[in-house]
Amino acid sequence: MRTFIRNIKTIVNILTPGQKFKFDDADKIEITTSGSGSRLAILTQEGNIVDFGEEECILRKKKATDKVIDCKGGCVIPGFVDAHTHPVWAGDRLHEFTLKNEILGVFDLEQSQRILEAGKNIGLEVNFHADELSPLGGAELAGRLKARAASHLEEASPAGVAAMAASGTAAILLPTTAHLLRLRPPPARAILQAGVPVALGTDFNPNAFCLSMPIVMYLACTMLAMTPEEALVASTINAAYSLNMSDRVGAITVGRQADLVVLDCDR
């Protein structure tokens, strides 16, 4: 199936063309804007982007059988990627509040390393909760294991942040959890300045009941002092990178999935 997505004013590509899988500090968000009197279009086939650009150019590739979506002069951005969520559970988690307040019910560093190394040895990616309630050395462990990602990090140490930067480990920040549980927010600016790829997630679960990535982005800006651009990157390409999916989603480039959001604004 082919789809012709037309009448777009602005496309926020996130990445420049090429095989890139995360957003680096030196990058600038790639934005394609139509000229006066013209519009942009995206052509997809079997759910993947095959071309995009000026509508009059893409129109030459359109077939009569293509499905057409009119964006009415709106802005198209990559679909959001929730880097950390718990959508399925049974019962409630009331008992966990007591355990968390007493710093119980969590693995210590040695136990965590043993479990994570066992998973890594059978080919699994390492991605785990780290330093949420106390500085246990989780960020340092993530660096040593060259983890794909570590989440929470409210209590991450400067040494741990440096270790994650050196290993290319993504930091998944969860501002809804910090807000609802009244935790100290993670040191987002220090993490960003260290060069760690930052992703965002909802942490959707009974004690952080939020499925909205736009709300997460808002809290990232107001609580974590992230810029809107940083929050957008963290909710798209870097979130995809943290899940080892950034070759497929998180940016508007040829070959990636046409996972798109159309905004009722021109930019």
Side-chain angles (χ1 to χ4, degrees), residues 78-89:
F80 298 123
V81 179
D82 188 345
H84 184 117
T85 185
H86 305 270
V88 179
W89 65 80

Side-chain angles (χ1 to χ4, degrees), residues 6-176:
R6 63 173 299 272
N7 198 8
I8 304 168
K9 174 63 176 176
T10 305
I11 296 175
V12 181
N13 316 52
I14 300 295
L15 292 179
T16 54
Q19 287 294 101
K20 296 188 63 179
F21 304 122
K22 64 184 176 69
F23 193 89
D24 298 317
D25 278 347
D27 292 328
K28 301 293 183 186
I29 291 180
E30 183 77 4
I31 298 176
T32 303
T33 303
S34 61
S36 176
S38 65
R39 284 290 185 262
L40 305 171
I42 300 172
L43 183 64
T44 76
Q45 183 168 345
E46 303 302 331
N48 293 322
I49 298 168
V50 296
D51 205 357
F52 65 93
E54 292 291 334
E55 184 172 314
E56 61 183 31
C57 296
I58 307 301
L59 189 59
R60 299 185 190 120
K61 301 180 181 181
K62 180 183 177 300
K63 297 180 179 179
T65 55
D66 289 350
K67 178 181 178 180
V68 177
I69 296 175
D70 187 346
C71 294
K72 300 179 180 179
C75 173
V76 176
I77 65 174
F80 298 123
V81 179
D82 188 345
H84 184 117
T85 185
H86 305 270
V88 179
W89 65 80
D92 63 60
R93 301 176 67 181
L94 293 176
H95 66 289
E96 292 186 15
F97 282 94
T98 299
L99 294 176
K100 285 186 175 183
N101 288 335
E102 297 176 2
I103 318 297
L104 299 173
V106 298
F107 296 114
D108 64 26
L109 200 62
E110 182 180 347
Q111 292 169 327
S112 298
Q113 181 164 342
R114 188 164 66 249
I115 293 166
L116 294 170
E117 284 181 338
K120 189 172 182 179
N121 288 339
I122 61 172
L124 299 179
E125 293 271 9
V126 175
N127 187 335
F128 65 104
H129 293 215
D131 299 331
E132 177 185 2
L133 302 173
S134 59
L136 295 176
E140 290 91 333
L141 177 61
R144 287 199 301 275
L145 295 179
K146 293 182 170 53
R148 166 62 59 171
S151 295
H152 286 289
L153 301 166
E154 285 85 352
E155 300 292 339
S157 70
V161 171
M164 290 178 65
S167 65
T169 300
I172 303 175
L173 307 184
L174 310 169
T176 51

Side-chain angles (χ1 to χ4, degrees), residues 226-237:
M226 292 175 66
T227 67
E229 292 82 3
E230 289 168 341
L232 180 60
V233 166
S235 300
T236 53
I237 190 64

